[in-house]
Amino acid sequence: MSYYDAPTLGSEYTMDILFWLKQKERHGLHHCRKQSPQLEKRGQLVEWTCDVADKLGLCTSTLHLAVKLVDLFMDGHDIQDPQLYLVCLGSLLLAAKMEEKDGNVPRCSQLNIFVKNFFPLSDFFSLELVMLNYFHWNICLPTPCYFTSLLIPHSILPTDHHNSGPILSFSKAQAYFQEYVQYFLKVSLTDVSFLDTLPSLLAASIIAAARRAFGLSPQWPDNLELLSGYREEQVGHLTTMLMFHHRLSVNNDEGYNSFSASPTSPTVGRGGGHCQWGKDRQF
């Protein structure tokens, strides 16, 4: 199902849901302070967790919630190898129970395969209780993925301009735009610089970066300012940081730099896709 087709995401309740999520993110019991003794290993752990989630066919919201659980749990504990990988697997299990259909929730034995059955299965059950107690049994935590899913239906409009011209095929433009959102979501997940950023602000910056990378104008329309609650100058710094990754990706893949480069194909799947940069295209 496309983000644009989800009936609740573009509904009259969007403002109310966003307000509730913002209250939850500001008044949560746990906030990441970047104080984990194993913080330098985070990049490797996140990439490994992404790979596991992809192989299990877990959705993007599951992955983002799992990484958030890992970050917050690591922030409050001194965890050594190989238990760090157990925490990643345990976080995926908890997140899947929140986000996935029952039939897609992985079994502990499935998860253990990714560490060559290193842990007794009882370790998974014990860790699950430890983590739930640490989070006071409240693991419904706001993530940038939640916020972007609410903003996406309102993030590209038929009246927008693409590379200074009109959008000729709105459905194709939506698909390509979603590619950019998925790309910047992945960037936000892996870059430790965004670790202590409010999810709502990061999500708004992801949408702004996606509009800029896709070549949409205006870059931050009034409807997104009203819906997100953030002005263009408030998302400007994070948008610049996200676009830095985009420029690196373009340079590495194609050898040139273009803010208006478009993906060559809309390949977003269940777990999200990756952007393939090609020559500018008009939609």
Side-chain angles (χ1 to χ4, degrees):
M1 179 178 67
S2 166
Y3 282 119
Y4 304 101
D5 298 330
T8 58
L9 298 186
S11 73
E12 59 186 301
Y13 302 110
T14 299
M15 291 289 290
D16 293 334
I17 297 171
L18 284 168
F19 177 79
W20 178 80
L21 286 171
K22 284 184 177 182
Q23 291 295 310
K24 194 170 180 62
E25 72 177 351
R26 286 176 168 81
H27 301 295
L29 295 176
H30 298 280
H31 298 279
C32 195
R33 293 163 289 181
K34 295 184 179 180
Q35 64 180 14
S36 169
Q38 287 76 37
L39 190 60
E40 75 280 357
K41 298 181 180 180
R42 181 187 181 273
Q44 176 187 345
L45 293 170
V46 170
E47 288 291 344
W48 184 78
T49 304
C50 289
D51 185 55
V52 172
D54 182 61
K55 289 176 179 176
L56 290 171
L58 302 177
C59 65
T60 307
S61 58
T62 298
L63 174 62
H64 277 258
L65 178 57
V67 171
K68 189 175 186 72
L69 293 174
V70 170
D71 285 333
L72 293 175
F73 193 74
M74 283 179 58
D75 208 51
H77 298 82
D78 187 356
I79 309 167
Q80 301 300 320
D81 288 331
Q83 278 69 32
L84 282 169
Y85 293 93
L86 178 62
V87 170
C88 291
L89 293 174
S91 297
L92 276 174
L93 178 60
L94 287 172
K97 289 182 177 181
M98 295 293 295
E99 299 293 331
E100 303 285 341
K101 294 180 179 179
D102 289 346
N104 205 46
V105 175
R107 299 185 301 275
C108 296
S109 56
Q110 284 180 280
L111 295 169
N112 211 13
I113 291 173
F114 292 98
V115 286
K116 299 181 179 179
N117 296 308
F118 181 86
F119 301 105
L121 294 184
S122 58
D123 284 5
F124 286 89
F125 303 129
S126 298
L127 176 65
E128 189 172 14
L129 286 175
V130 169
M131 293 187 71
L132 286 171
N133 284 322
Y134 179 72
F135 290 107
H136 301 280
W137 293 76
N138 180 13
I139 56 172
C140 183
L141 306 175
T143 67
C145 187
Y146 289 157
F147 283 101
T148 55
S149 68
L150 289 163
L151 293 174
I152 275 184
H154 311 274
S155 297
I156 177 171
L157 303 173
T159 53
D160 286 333
H161 282 75
H162 177 251
N163 293 338
S164 302
I167 296 176
L168 302 180
S169 176
F170 187 60
S171 60
K172 287 183 179 180
Q174 285 180 315
Y176 279 90
F177 178 76
Q178 188 173 325
E179 279 278 302
Y180 283 103
V181 173
Q182 291 292 342
Y183 169 76
F184 286 117
L185 274 171
K186 180 65 179 296
V187 169
S188 73
L189 203 63
T190 55
D191 191 335
V192 70
S193 303
F194 303 113
L195 200 54
D196 54 353
T197 304
L198 284 174
S200 60
L201 177 58
L202 185 51
S205 303
I206 287 169
I207 296 296
R211 286 184 60 88
R212 184 177 176 188
F214 191 38
L216 294 177
S217 58
Q219 289 188 7
W220 193 242
D222 293 340
N223 71 302
L224 281 175
E225 179 176 325
L226 176 64
L227 193 61
S228 69
Y230 292 108
R231 300 183 303 276
E232 186 171 3
E233 58 267 25
Q234 290 177 286
V235 302
H237 176 63
L238 293 177
T239 301
T240 300
M241 293 173 64
L242 290 164
M243 288 301 299
F244 173 76
H245 287 273
H246 175 253
R247 289 195 296 272
L248 287 180
S249 179
V250 170
N251 288 334
N252 289 338
D253 289 349
E254 299 290 345
Y256 68 86
N257 181 355
S258 172
F259 282 167
S260 56
S262 304
T264 58
S265 62
T267 57
V268 174
R270 174 173 170 76
H274 62 279
C275 285
Q276 298 174 328
W277 277 252
K279 294 182 179 179
D280 293 349
R281 304 179 68 175
Q282 192 70 35
F283 295 94

